[in-house]
Amino acid sequence: MPDMLEQLLGQDMIFDGFNRAQIAIVVTNPYLEDNPVVYVNEAFTRSTGYARTASIGRNCRFLQGPETSKVHVDKLRRGIENEETTTVDIINYRANGEKYLNRLVVSPLCDDTGKLQYFIGIQKELRESDMDASTEEINAALMEIQNRVATDLSIVIGMIRQQSGSTSVPEDFMALSRRIETLQLLYEEMKLSDRQSNRNRVEMGSYLSRLSAAIAHMMGRSGIRMTIQIEPLEVPIETATRVGLVLSELLTNAFQHAFDRLDNGLVEVRMSRLSAGGLRLIVSDDGVGIPSGMAWPDTSTIGGRIVGGLIEGLEGTLHLGRGAAGSFVTIDVPAGATLVDE
């Protein structure tokens, strides 16, 4: 267990640079001893004062203190045991010992068979300024956030079968962290859309450009360049969620595997409108290329199953091409998936 956590702590930090969501999010794994934290976002570290390395691998009770109500703790424990969504106002303590009142929503995250995979906690510190809002208003806002996060994460975990105890667990945690943070960039775009009264749509040009740049910055290395050509296009939130996750998987695969033993290379990301409606996403590289006899996406891998499931959910198509150097993947999303309901 300690060796696994050491790997987890080192790898989970890799995408910290673009984890800027204002929602405090915690993910725990009930299949590990004592249901430890496996992911926290930057908003959590700012609120609590605990670094990610001080949080991951511990049960959330480390936030409790002398004035934390046993009644509230027991309510949370029963909700977790029964795999039910639970809301409490609980006194927590920051790393410096300062206490604060925290409204916490804890929900189970299940795969597509209904089997529990993780628990997710959405947290909001209750300040004096919140007292003007009714309990119902605050709860409604938190539940909207929780439902959005749970729905989006379910797209991912519905395709993952957690294999606790295997040697691949730390890598799975790192990938889960990246996928959560891919969604967090989407939430930032959703906040901007809300301010512009475009609640049901997301500007894909902005979202995919930021996502591409963030992954290239964190996963790229000297000598590997990336170009981005993305046309402006507004799409429904559900489509943006799936296309963003597909792009995250494709770019990660390219940076991890396309330039093995190569000093230089180019990754290109292009998205354009199709003349008949819909969109086309192309991710290409001039690296070593995917072997001609190899099926891709590889459904024996988590990433391959995720890509396949996301494309199926979009009712889209995927085409793998091999050039003189490297490979290119073309994703076509039909017009129906890109129409925005007013």
Side-chain angles (χ1 to χ4, degrees), residues 116-165:
L116 175 69
Q117 297 292 315
Y118 300 95
F119 284 99
I120 183 167
I122 304 294
Q123 303 186 22
K124 174 177 174 55
E125 179 180 351
L126 296 179
R127 304 175 184 269
E128 289 186 9
S129 58
D130 295 315
M131 301 310 168
D132 293 334
S134 69
T135 298
E136 291 75 16
E137 289 173 334
I138 296 174
N139 283 346
L142 279 181
M143 288 307 298
E144 180 180 0
I145 294 169
Q146 186 273 341
N147 289 335
R148 181 72 257 172
V149 175
T151 298
D152 291 342
L153 285 182
S154 292
I155 294 175
V156 176
I157 66 172
M159 306 166 199
I160 296 174
R161 296 295 183 268
Q162 180 65 35
Q163 298 177 4
S164 299

Side-chain angles (χ1 to χ4, degrees), residues 301-323:
T301 67
I302 290 176
R305 292 196 296 272
I306 287 177
V307 169
L310 292 168
I311 298 300
E312 181 180 354
L314 289 165
E315 297 185 351
T317 60
L318 181 151
H319 173 74
L320 170 65
R322 298 173 173 86

Side-chain angles (χ1 to χ4, degrees), residues 56-332:
I56 294 176
R58 304 171 68 183
N59 184 281
C60 286
R61 71 173 68 91
F62 74 89
L63 295 173
Q64 300 171 16
E67 296 185 36
T68 303
S69 167
K70 184 177 183 300
V71 172
H72 294 148
V73 173
D74 288 345
K75 182 178 179 181
L76 284 172
R77 177 178 51 78
R78 287 193 300 270
I80 290 172
E81 289 176 351
N82 296 328
E83 300 180 15
E84 298 173 341
T85 296
T86 306
T87 302
V88 296
D89 290 353
I90 190 168
I91 293 178
N92 283 156
Y93 288 78
R94 306 188 210 279
N96 64 5
E98 176 187 1
K99 69 178 181 180
Y100 64 101
L101 186 60
N102 186 36
R103 181 155 296 173
L104 172 63
V105 180
V106 177
S107 298
L109 287 173
C110 301
D111 64 18
D112 51 358
T113 69
K115 181 181 178 181
L116 175 69
Q117 297 292 315
Y118 300 95
F119 284 99
I120 183 167
I122 304 294
Q123 303 186 22
K124 174 177 174 55
E125 179 180 351
L126 296 179
R127 304 175 184 269
E128 289 186 9
S129 58
D130 295 315
M131 301 310 168
D132 293 334
S134 69
T135 298
E136 291 75 16
E137 289 173 334
I138 296 174
N139 283 346
L142 279 181
M143 288 307 298
E144 180 180 0
I145 294 169
Q146 186 273 341
N147 289 335
R148 181 72 257 172
V149 175
T151 298
D152 291 342
L153 285 182
S154 292
I155 294 175
V156 176
I157 66 172
M159 306 166 199
I160 296 174
R161 296 295 183 268
Q162 180 65 35
Q163 298 177 4
S164 299
S166 74
T167 57
S168 65
V169 166
E171 289 76 8
D172 291 347
F173 285 147
M174 183 191 73
L176 177 66
S177 175
R178 169 176 54 79
R179 289 158 188 150
I180 293 173
E181 290 159 350
T182 295
L183 295 171
Q184 289 175 350
L185 284 176
L186 174 63
Y187 301 148
E188 292 184 10
E189 294 298 328
M190 288 167 59
K191 287 170 60 180
L192 177 62
S193 295
D194 284 348
R195 290 197 296 270
Q196 295 175 341
S197 300
N198 297 326
R199 189 172 180 81
N200 297 323
R201 66 188 72 177
V202 171
E203 173 47 61
M204 290 294 282
S206 173
Y207 172 45
L208 296 188
S209 294
R210 294 176 63 210
L211 175 59
S212 300
I215 293 179
H217 175 70
M218 301 310 298
M219 298 203 67
R221 56 182 171 84
S222 178
I224 306 301
R225 298 168 292 124
M226 186 175 74
T227 63
I228 305 171
Q229 298 179 3
I230 299 179
E231 295 183 4
L233 175 64
E234 290 184 342
V235 304
I237 291 171
E238 180 72 12
T239 300
T241 300
R242 292 178 178 273
V243 173
L245 286 166
V246 168
L247 178 59
S248 175
E249 299 298 322
L250 296 180
L251 282 178
T252 298
N253 185 72
F255 280 110
Q256 286 181 337
H257 304 296
F259 306 103
D260 187 31
R261 297 184 298 275
L262 296 179
D263 295 327
N264 298 284
L266 173 66
V267 177
E268 295 182 279
V269 178
R270 287 175 283 168
M271 189 198 76
S272 58
R273 300 169 182 260
L274 297 174
S275 57
L279 65 86
R280 173 168 291 167
L281 175 67
I282 301 175
V283 178
S284 62
D285 67 78
D286 62 354
V288 296
I290 297 174
S292 58
M294 177 179 176
W296 197 92
D298 183 358
T299 55
S300 68
T301 67
I302 290 176
R305 292 196 296 272
I306 287 177
V307 169
L310 292 168
I311 298 300
E312 181 180 354
L314 289 165
E315 297 185 351
T317 60
L318 181 151
H319 173 74
L320 170 65
R322 298 173 173 86
S327 307
F328 58 92
V329 177
T330 303
I331 307 291
D332 282 354

